Amino acid sequence: MKTKVAILHTNDLHSHFENFPQIIQLMKTRTRALEQAGYTVFRVDDGDAIDRFEPLTDATGGQANIELLNQIHYHATTIGNNEALTTSHEELSHLYDQANFPIVLDNVLDATTGMDPTWSQPFVDYKLPDQTRVRFMGMTFPYPTFRFMGWIAQPVLPTITNCLKQWQGQYDILILLSHLGINQDRQIADQFPEISILIGGHTHHLLPHGEIRHHTLLTAAEKWGHYVGEITFTVENHQVQDQTARVIPISPLAPNSDEQAQVEQWRKRGRDLLAKQSVAELPHAFKTSFVDDNPLVQLGLRAVEESLGVQAAVLNTGLFLHDLPAGIVNMEQIQRILPHNIHVMKTKLWGYDLWRLMKEMQKNRNFLIAFPQKGMGFRGSQFGRLVAAGLHFNDQGQLLWHNDLIEPQKRYEIGLLDHYQFIPFFPTIDLVGQNTIYFDKTLKTVLADYLSRHYPTQGEQHGS
């Protein structure tokens, strides 16, 4: 007698609430249909379910996302880099307090205790009707920057090796929720035949019919909830057989008027919560321009300089999505202008290396204006023009620090964004920069703090 099993999976939802009603509906209808066909059904999510570009996520620290995920009743989930790097240690420690699903995670430790996080577990087990033991484990991409948020990211391959050693004889079928990306997934499949199924994400790849590598089925359902993945297989003598994978697009499931109203209600709730947080009172508007230096980017540059205690900074105009109006400004407006998950960064460079960095920026400047930048914290559409404060080339091509020539053997500190370290256009930053990322300072909070100090609302003292 063969036991039939199905897994419905999502990944990289990134707070795209406009797709949640269809995902919830599809999960329910497919679960019901598969169960009626004799399948044991599991529902899982592979991380990056939250993204602070969405006002309601930002306003609630991700708690609103958990309310929605609870409606799907997942059997196992893991975290992505967005959960770990865009919520504070305290927020992540309590993000899942009201979750009705388990979080499995094997390669992240709490830096304070050196132990597994209190909100996760190394695995979750289920038994099939034939008593076959199914174990779900979870891994997320081990960014070194996790340490700045109070977490220790463990290397992937040694961690899997240790888990398999410890778990010998404890499971029949091992399934990995992998927020690691397609290249790492393939390496894992090549190296660990003990893993029967690997459900992938992080790099937003789509495997319409899965990919078999040796004994392992790799799957992935792209991003933002455009698809729900469906895996089916049979089990005989506690062994996986006849694996198949497909993805189901949600686009044919157009939301009805009630669902559309629900999405708008979620977004309005987020905007309303942020709008209650007054920031400043501006005497005039600050206009932005995608292609030119402009008053809003100059305001941002001053905010970065003051926040980091530096005398020079660089920003790109594509960060600023809208003008900042005159009058009372609140966090909803700031969030709309700067929806990015980007942190400010202080970079120390020798004068010669600073010259080389500015040459890299000068060389790439025109190309980057219309470059469709995606990911790594950036939530706009195109990169825009690079604008520097405190640094410029004179007519002779010499680099000046304000009005003085840069000295090759002198150390300089400039304000940048962590985003610039992660994208490939400015290698000097990563190769020779002494970089300090301030994970408690996103660009939007830095701008908001600057505005509140320099343009306090009526009744507040200047500098408060």
Side-chain angles (χ1 to χ4, degrees):
M1 178 73 73
K2 292 186 178 183
T3 299
K4 299 197 294 186
V5 183
I7 301 173
L8 299 171
H9 60 93
T10 52
N11 62 274
D12 296 279
L13 297 177
H14 283 280
S15 293
H16 277 266
F17 290 163
E18 70 275 11
N19 296 326
F20 273 49
Q22 297 99 298
I23 294 166
I24 294 168
Q25 174 194 344
L26 184 56
M27 283 286 195
K28 288 178 179 176
T29 56
R30 282 307 297 160
T31 296
R32 192 159 48 243
L34 287 162
E35 287 178 343
Q36 288 172 352
Y39 285 87
T40 297
V41 181
F42 298 104
R43 294 173 297 277
V44 301
D45 180 76
D46 194 52
D48 270 5
I50 75 170
D51 194 313
R52 295 189 89 122
F53 92 94
E54 167 59 49
L56 184 55
T57 301
D58 204 25
T60 63
Q63 292 293 335
N65 295 63
I66 304 305
E67 293 175 23
L68 296 176
L69 296 176
N70 280 344
Q71 297 183 38
I72 296 174
H73 298 280
Y74 287 107
H75 293 85
T77 67
T78 195
I79 69 164
N81 47 287
N82 267 269
E83 282 86 358
L85 294 176
T86 66
T87 56
S88 69
H89 189 280
E90 179 71 10
E91 283 177 321
L92 184 53
S93 296
H94 294 287
L95 178 63
Y96 300 103
D97 285 355
Q98 305 304 317
N100 64 8
F101 49 84
I103 299 89
V104 290
L105 186 60
D106 292 287
N107 68 322
V108 173
L109 303 176
D110 190 314
T112 306
T113 64
M115 308 289 287
D116 292 336
T118 57
W119 42 268
S120 70
Q121 55 197 72
F123 55 82
V124 62
D125 290 336
Y126 295 95
K127 273 191 179 176
L128 299 179
D130 67 352
Q131 300 304 301
T132 297
R133 299 166 299 172
V134 178
R135 174 164 290 185
F136 290 91
M137 64 183 297
M139 308 280 286
T140 194
F141 195 89
Y143 283 106
T145 47
F146 275 39
R147 69 184 186 273
F148 295 115
M149 306 304 283
W151 310 108
I152 301 170
Q154 303 284 82
V156 171
L157 301 181
T159 299
I160 296 177
T161 300
N162 290 338
C163 288
L164 296 179
K165 222 176 267 185
Q166 292 172 24
W167 298 345
Q168 280 185 357
Q170 296 180 16
Y171 62 86
D172 300 306
I173 298 171
L174 185 60
I175 298 168
L176 171 60
L177 304 183
S178 166
H179 196 84
L180 298 170
I182 183 62
N183 293 331
Q184 185 82 83
D185 289 353
R186 286 170 175 155
Q187 187 177 4
I188 291 169
D190 291 345
Q191 199 161 326
F192 299 103
E194 300 94 329
I195 298 173
S196 299
I197 296 169
L198 191 155
I199 297 169
H202 181 55
T203 45
H204 298 180
H205 52 290
L206 180 67
L207 298 176
H209 303 291
E211 176 180 308
I212 295 284
R213 289 182 74 91
H214 305 293
H215 300 282
T216 304
L217 172 65
L218 276 59
T219 68
E222 205 220 43
K223 64 178 180 179
W224 299 358
H226 293 153
Y227 301 89
V228 169
E230 181 177 294
I231 303 162
T232 59
F233 58 94
T234 59
V235 177
E236 188 172 19
N237 297 323
H238 308 309
Q239 299 295 312
V240 172
Q241 299 179 350
D242 307 319
Q243 300 154 296
T244 66
R246 67 168 183 149
V247 292
I248 308 169
I250 67 158
S251 52
L253 304 172
N256 59 40
S257 57
D258 288 343
E259 290 171 337
Q260 289 175 324
Q262 179 65 76
V263 172
E264 282 308 309
Q265 188 178 343
W266 292 334
R267 293 209 159 126
K268 183 178 184 304
R269 179 184 160 204
R271 289 193 295 266
D272 289 347
L273 286 169
L274 291 174
K276 291 177 181 177
Q277 304 174 36
S278 293
V279 172
E281 188 169 1
L282 302 185
H284 56 81
F286 287 87
K287 300 283 188 180
T288 189
S289 167
F290 182 70
V291 296
D292 295 312
D293 189 356
N294 60 76
L296 187 51
V297 77
Q298 288 296 327
L299 187 69
L301 288 164
R302 294 197 296 274
V304 170
E305 288 175 332
E306 187 172 289
S307 177
L308 300 181
V310 296
Q311 297 178 347
V314 179
L315 293 174
N316 54 297
T317 58
L319 293 160
F320 299 88
L321 305 189
H322 306 283
D323 297 339
L324 195 57
I328 299 291
V329 171
N330 58 52
M331 277 308 297
E332 190 276 329
Q333 293 165 299
I334 300 294
Q335 204 273 347
R336 186 153 31 93
I337 289 167
L338 294 168
H340 321 289
N341 303 320
I342 286 178
H343 304 93
V344 294
M345 177 174 75
K346 183 188 293 184
T347 296
K348 292 183 181 179
L349 293 163
W350 294 107
Y352 172 79
D353 293 322
L354 179 57
W355 171 85
R356 185 172 63 183
L357 170 61
M358 297 309 292
K359 280 292 185 182
E360 290 167 356
M361 290 185 169
Q362 186 182 56
K363 179 180 180 180
N364 289 304
R365 189 178 181 213
N366 289 331
F367 166 77
L368 286 171
I369 290 174
F371 183 75
Q373 181 64 55
K374 291 293 181 185
M376 290 162 288
F378 188 78
R379 296 294 180 264
S381 58
Q382 293 169 292
F383 190 86
R385 181 174 294 280
L386 283 160
V387 180
L391 287 162
H392 68 278
F393 286 100
N394 64 16
D395 294 339
Q396 289 75 46
Q398 299 168 306
L399 182 61
L400 274 66
W401 178 269
H402 295 272
N403 295 316
D404 299 320
L405 287 175
I406 289 286
E407 299 177 33
Q409 301 305 316
K410 184 178 176 180
R411 293 278 268 176
Y412 296 89
E413 292 183 340
I414 62 171
L416 299 172
L417 303 174
D418 62 348
H419 182 70
Y420 300 158
Q421 185 178 358
F422 304 144
I423 58 178
F425 303 108
F426 318 122
T428 294
I429 297 172
D430 197 42
L431 292 174
V432 295
Q434 183 180 333
N435 305 309
T436 303
I437 300 173
Y438 293 82
F439 279 90
D440 59 338
K441 296 182 178 184
T442 61
L443 182 58
K444 63 174 166 261
T445 59
V446 164
L447 180 63
D449 290 345
Y450 180 88
L451 293 175
S452 68
R453 285 193 301 272
H454 291 271
Y455 303 97
T457 55
Q458 280 190 332
E460 292 183 358
Q461 295 298 313
H462 182 81
S464 61

